[in-house]
Amino acid sequence: MVLEIGPEELAQILRDVQDLDTCIFGLQREIEELPDKHHLGELAEALSAVRQEQASDEKSLEEIEHKQHKLDGELDMLVTKMKKEEEKLFSGTIMNPKELSAIQAEIFSLRKKRDEMETEDLEEMEEIDRLTGEFSSARSRTAEIEAGERQAKDAYEVELAEKKAEIASLELRRDNLKVRLSEDIVADYNKMLKEKAGLAVVPIVQGRTCGGCHIDFSRTQIDQFQHNEGIFRCEYCRRILVK
Ligand SMILES: [Zn+2]
């Protein structure tokens, strides 16, 4: 039930409702800025970068390990072949000097190849060591950033809950005031609030200027304020004016 209220009380209620809405909008803006405040975007970016680095290290490591495994297999085959040739050479069954020198040449060439492959193998092992180190450092950085992100998210959740609770309490106070206003005034207020970026009710500054659009009123409108009580409309921006 809406009780009849006087013009001064009406103006006061509208002022209070606007003040509460202004506070609510302020808190909503603060909520929007919370992720920035807690660097959540930056942390997510850093995390994605370090995870990418970790994945790329892991891939390189897998590739080189595969390569090394293949090389080890080839090296085994080569050594077996070399041993066979050496056995042949020292078996005493081959007497033909041409054949013997061919075997010697083959052994020589196999040894050279083996040395090359062993050098390559060593280089690959060094590369594996380096990549393993990089991978483990990326992994610990990932863990570090993840922990930081969790902490920041927890702090964000706490602040978010606090602000939401504050908003709910302001909304309750505002709605308790609004029930005292007529439906028409509430509809008008809501419409202006939406159209005027959250500022529907403004004061008449020094009896002659609109507190919303800051334009000086005409003589006619100033006369109106001087001879009446309650609420008015700005002739320029249409906001609700209170003395
Ligand atoms: Zn105005």
Side-chain angles (χ1 to χ4, degrees):
M1 192 179 78
V2 178
L3 295 171
E4 276 304 314
I5 49 175
E8 271 175 58
E9 199 182 354
L10 174 62
Q12 187 55 53
I13 292 173
L14 278 168
R15 252 195 298 266
D16 291 344
V17 167
Q18 175 67 72
D19 284 349
L20 288 165
D21 268 331
T22 302
C23 286
I24 291 166
F25 290 138
L27 284 163
Q28 283 166 345
R29 266 197 303 276
E30 284 175 29
I31 284 179
E32 278 168 29
E33 286 158 8
L34 274 183
D36 282 344
K37 192 185 153 198
H38 291 287
H39 308 291
L40 290 181
E42 283 169 40
L43 283 167
E45 256 176 55
L47 200 54
S48 136
V50 79
R51 274 182 183 152
Q52 236 167 19
E53 204 182 306
Q54 195 184 326
S56 138
D57 284 343
E58 199 171 16
K59 193 166 166 268
S60 310
L61 206 52
E62 267 172 26
E63 279 168 5
I64 200 162
E65 273 171 349
H66 177 75
K67 211 172 135 195
Q68 207 207 18
H69 187 71
K70 207 175 141 214
L71 184 71
D72 284 345
E74 284 168 5
L75 198 56
D76 278 349
M77 268 161 59
L78 188 130
V79 169
T80 311
K81 197 177 166 197
M82 210 172 73
K83 273 185 184 154
K84 260 190 195 160
E85 294 296 320
E86 279 170 348
E87 276 164 20
K88 239 200 272 177
L89 183 70
F90 300 119
S91 65
T93 52
I94 294 158
M95 310 300 280
N96 182 335
K98 257 194 186 169
E99 213 179 318
L100 281 173
S101 71
I103 294 172
Q104 270 171 334
E106 172 70 0
I107 291 171
F108 182 78
S109 128
L110 286 169
R111 271 194 193 139
K112 202 170 158 242
K113 183 79 187 141
R114 182 200 60 192
D115 291 349
E116 280 168 13
M117 282 169 95
E118 276 176 352
T119 307
E120 200 184 327
D121 199 34
L122 211 65
E123 280 168 4
E124 279 177 3
M125 266 155 69
E126 279 169 9
E127 181 63 3
I128 286 172
D129 274 354
R130 191 186 67 78
L131 282 169
T132 307
E134 266 184 23
F135 175 71
S136 112
S137 130
R139 199 169 46 186
S140 62
R141 261 182 297 140
T142 303
E144 217 174 281
I145 300 172
E146 274 171 350
E149 197 194 36
R150 259 197 308 278
Q151 225 172 11
K153 272 188 180 161
D154 288 348
Y156 165 79
E157 291 296 338
V158 168
E159 263 197 83
L160 183 66
E162 279 172 7
K163 291 200 191 296
K164 279 188 174 170
E166 216 177 319
I167 288 176
S169 123
L170 293 174
E171 279 174 344
L172 187 68
R173 275 170 63 195
R174 179 199 62 192
D175 294 344
N176 284 340
L177 285 173
K178 268 179 157 180
V179 292
R180 298 176 58 199
L181 302 170
S182 75
E183 271 178 32
D184 285 353
I185 289 182
V186 169
D188 195 21
Y189 171 82
N190 288 344
K191 184 169 171 277
M192 289 310 286
L193 199 68
K194 212 172 154 190
E195 280 175 16
K196 302 294 176 189
L199 197 60
V201 179
V202 291
I204 298 162
V205 182
Q206 293 179 331
R208 57 183 166 83
T209 310
C210 170
C213 65
H214 308 291
I215 300 177
D216 285 344
F217 300 117
S218 65
R219 191 64 246 168
T220 323
Q221 186 148 37
I222 292 173
D223 279 347
Q224 207 192 350
F225 305 146
Q226 282 168 349
H227 300 105
N228 296 285
E229 286 306 324
I231 59 171
F232 310 89
R233 298 302 285 249
C234 171
E235 55 193 324
Y236 307 111
C237 71
R238 307 301 302 154
R239 284 190 176 90
I240 301 165
L241 295 166
V242 288
K243 280 203 215 175

